[in-house]
Amino acid sequence: MEFKTLTQQRSALDTGQISAVELTQYYLDRIKQQDDTINSFITVTESHALAQAKAADAVIAANKQGPLTGIPLAQKDIFCTQGIKTTCGSKMLDNFLPPYDATVVKKLDAAGMVMLGKTNMDEFAMGSSNETSYYGAVKNPWDHSCVPGGSSGGAAACIAAGFTPVATGSDTGGSIRQPAALCGITGIKPTYGLVSRYGMIAFASSLDQAGPMAHTAQDCAHVLAAMCGYDNNDSTSLNRTCDDVTSSLDSDIKGLKVGLPKPFFDDALNPLIAACLDEVKATLEKLGATCVDVDLPNMHLSVPAYYIVAPAEASSNLSRYDGVRFGYRCENPKSLDDLYCRTRAEGFGAEVKRRIIVGTYALSAGFYEAYYRKARRIRTLISNDFTRVFEQVDVLLGPTTPTTAFKLGEKTQDPVSMYLNDIYTIAVNLAGLPALSAPAGFISGMPVGLQLIGPAFSEAKLLNVAHRYQQVTDHHLQSPNQ
Amino acid sequence: MELQEVEQLAKLARLKIDQDHAEQLRTECSKIVALASQLASVDTEGVPAMAHPHEVSQPLRPDEVTESSCKDALMALAPAQEEGLFLVPKVIEEA
Amino acid sequence: MSWQVVIGLEIHVQLNTQSKLFSGSSTRYGGEPNTQADWIDCALPGTLPKLNQAVIPKAIKFGLATNSRINQYCEFARKNYFYPDLPKGYQTSQLDKPIVEDGFIRFCVDDANEKKVRIERAHLEEDAGKSLHEDFHGMSGIDLNRAGTPLIEIVTAPDIRSAKEAVACLKTIHTLVRYLDISDANMQEGSFRCDVNVSVMPSDSDTFGTRCEIKNLNSFKFVEEAIAVETERQIDLLESGHTIAQETRLYSPERKETKAMRSKADAHDYRYFVCPDLLPIIVSDEEIATLKAALPELPRAKRQRFVKDFALTDYDAQRLTETKPLADFFEDVVKASKANAKLVANWILGTLMSAANDENLDAYATPISAERLGLLLTRIEDNTLSGKIAKTVFAKMWESELSADEIIEQEGLKQITDTSAIEAIIDDIIKANPAQVEQYRSGKDKIFGFFVGQVMKATKGQAAPAQVNQLLKAKLSTS
């Protein structure tokens, strides 16, 4: 594809080099030809996409386009789309046709984007490899024997595979950043509350946050600008005007103070990834930043705290899947209990059940104080660590993942080893902060991600730093061999 | 975590667990709980428990009826329905 | 051995909002099934709650009227359990920080002595839907119209010591929530429902026994009956050497007994935790001050004022203040009439109320306005009408739009107060009934009524009764 990024496509559309319909058709064809292997889409919405593209062409012809008019997009299948199957990667919702659009979907529709389809994901966003999906694993476009990461694995893979320039994701413990890192793309998890959660199927309500994924930080900025904003349908949505994340992309980063948190560079980190990050550090310094070591003393508690808070909230959020009002229902229930127990046993996969059991345990009488309340106190400690460190530095730099993409099936037998894949990403969700992952190089042909973390509402700064970095590097422009 | 405990939790969470998988589930959940047990040794005396990332208060909606009947759309989604009602196996509330 | 019953109440009061606690669906009663349930009420994936602003001042008003503390930082929690009328699989409620805590109410039971019952808490929560048990091929039908209707659950301390006190306490709260205009409190429609916790202990003990909860009592009568039969059941068990199991029971009015509900396998581990979809509610000092200033005169104060200012009995004052519109009606009639307040009270609680009941109307909302009733009572006061004729006039007023004066004029019902006219009639009667006169004079006082009847018959009831009595006595004793 001649025009790989959203930014390139914008100018091609505006100058008439290509029409939105042609652009859409190009991607639909690629998906048709190649997604059998990658499995990044659960649903491809061809006619819907072509209709939207046609409408976008009319807007462009009238010279009334915005920055996103006619740009193709893949929506994670966690976002409700009116009349279009929304499964959340689960058998439970295999037949679910939402009667409404998620706010994110509404906003991106209104911005003139063209939805190509709904992407594969770990079931109810619970997973770090996209192997828990009812619709089968997604393959990493860089190596089909490897995972793309998760839970937004389909979104990351379809961008890396060249099926779409842009996708949406959601991030509860790293679900945007980890697959972005493993697939060699850019993705940002915004500050909690910046993007509405209405219509985004809940996993852990106090952690879930939607964000954009794309090849470049610049592309992410344009999509984020359209996604964020107060929504009175979501009580946790923040009532504040969105910072302008696009106009400061090119700002100089001279004098930027970058913190290197000790716990990000510990023994768990693959030394080759550490080497990639040394280069990132050198590049940022060349651009005028200064790097200092900082500490986040409670960082090591983030995974255990997360695996109490997230399952606890999930166990409650997933109680509505009971076979009564929508979704899967078991055959011939003999009693009310039988209806509940079999519907949920048959409709949910193994990972979801594990988390429901753990979450039920953490909230149950006798364990609540020791686990759930304790974990919420730890959240405060972790959040305070960040507050303290951001008094000294502007952003934090670290790896996104401890290793590059692992093999399909490698960690499915041991859930805890799977969870430890998120050691660098989870703390950010517990504190509600923004963080992005961007390509930082390759190890044996597999992408490596760098992670930038900022204080609340610092999306513009994070995207600015990543954009400046991408102006002088080309990791983000690499594509897997076809 | 004991097997009996897992079975009790599954009952609470309305998940039917077949005997073949109960032990596996027990092992996996025990590992996760063991991971979380690291928290026990941390001194959190006097640390407030965080419920939300931001210190903001609940927004309010005016008391207005904004929705009209969507019964037909609801019934179209329902796995079992009749005469505008969702059907479930008989609910026994009597003694 | 004598026993003491100990009772606590949990009262579910639907708040009278237009829309639901967390959605814009209507809370109207009696709609076609599932026509007032939106995506939020049905807990479709991705939906989130949106808090109705009207519920907070309503809950605060209840707190202020019960001398309670208003928690200015309060949170919603999820109470997790599975039931088909509970679409989310949890009820959004309040646990650690309810909006209202630690208050009390005072009320009279039989005499003027006041009883005080503590209010432990009143918290906001959402109502559940309804399971309809008509047979759908062995299935139950679920209607979610009621799901998400805002409630306050009021929990009293176990301060109540008899079924009568329980009913009086319940009636007091019922009256109060209607005064505050926070609920319709319509028991037939279920907008005011009561669970009762009952235990017994030996009269000389101060250690409470094991309690049972009797659920879903929807009339004062059932509350009284259920407590009585449950108390008896518990005493029988204890006296025959058994123990009481803590359990939830249902009362059957037909069989006059309580029965244990099928015990649930999960033994109620509700796994409460702070709802992550909702943020804390912050109530300002100003908001509380504004609501406090706007509180209406409360039933107890009104009752006391009626006794003091109008010289009513406690009983009459209690009845007249049962609802605010009735109390207002009473005061309007007093204002519109020259009659004394006692007469007004008697008429409202007697003639008017029984006529209203016959037509299923409230006494304050009949064809007889305060103005019209006031004039009628003025005519009793100024002796234009006897009480008996006034009732005839009242009946004609009910059927027409005419005033008391118009009817008196039209029908010639003016009371005869002319002494000589009455005396002439009495003379005739004495002449015509010598035997009865003889009996009276020989000491048979009872026959006096016969003479009154004869005078009234002769005057078509229009002679002023007091005058008739006086003149008759004089005539019968002198001649």
Side-chain angles (χ1 to χ4, degrees), chain A residues 80 93 96 99-100 192 197-202 205-206 232-236 312-313 316-317 319-322 324-326 329 336 340 344 360 363-365 368 372-373 376, chain C residues 39-51 75 78 80-90 96 139 142 144 262 265 269-274 276-279:
Chain A
C80 288
L93 292 176
F96 181 55
Y100 43 81
Y192 181 84
R197 294 187 297 115
Y198 181 78
M200 180 173 84
I201 296 174
S205 311
S206 76
N232 62 12
N233 285 314
D234 172 5
S235 298
T236 62
E313 292 184 13
S316 174
N317 282 337
S319 293
R320 66 188 60 198
Y321 303 99
D322 59 5
V324 177
R325 297 166 312 285
F326 55 84
R329 176 181 176 116
L336 188 59
Y340 287 151
R344 292 165 60 79
T360 304
L363 290 175
S364 64
Y368 179 88
Y372 181 68
R373 176 105 61 191
R376 283 176 49 204
Chain C
W39 322 130
I40 297 175
D41 306 319
C42 293
L44 294 197
T47 56
L48 294 169
K50 297 155 67 176
L51 182 62
E75 296 174 328
R78 293 185 182 177
N80 293 282
Y81 65 96
F82 285 88
Y83 210 67
D85 63 12
L86 188 73
K88 294 190 291 289
Y90 55 84
D96 289 338
M139 310 281 265
I142 307 296
L144 297 178
R262 196 169 54 119
D269 187 345
Y270 289 128
R271 291 157 285 139
Y272 277 100
F273 72 109
V274 176
D277 286 329
L278 293 161
L279 301 171

Side-chain angles (χ1 to χ4, degrees), chain C residues 130-168:
Chain C
K130 281 181 186 167
S131 306
L132 305 176
H133 302 290
E134 291 100 86
D135 206 349
F136 293 96
H137 342 285
M139 310 281 265
S140 289
I142 307 296
D143 172 12
L144 297 178
N145 280 355
R146 199 179 67 179
T149 299
L151 298 174
I152 48 171
E153 180 177 336
I154 302 160
V155 182
T156 77
D159 290 346
I160 300 165
R161 292 292 178 271
S162 71
K164 246 187 178 166
E165 278 182 19
V167 170

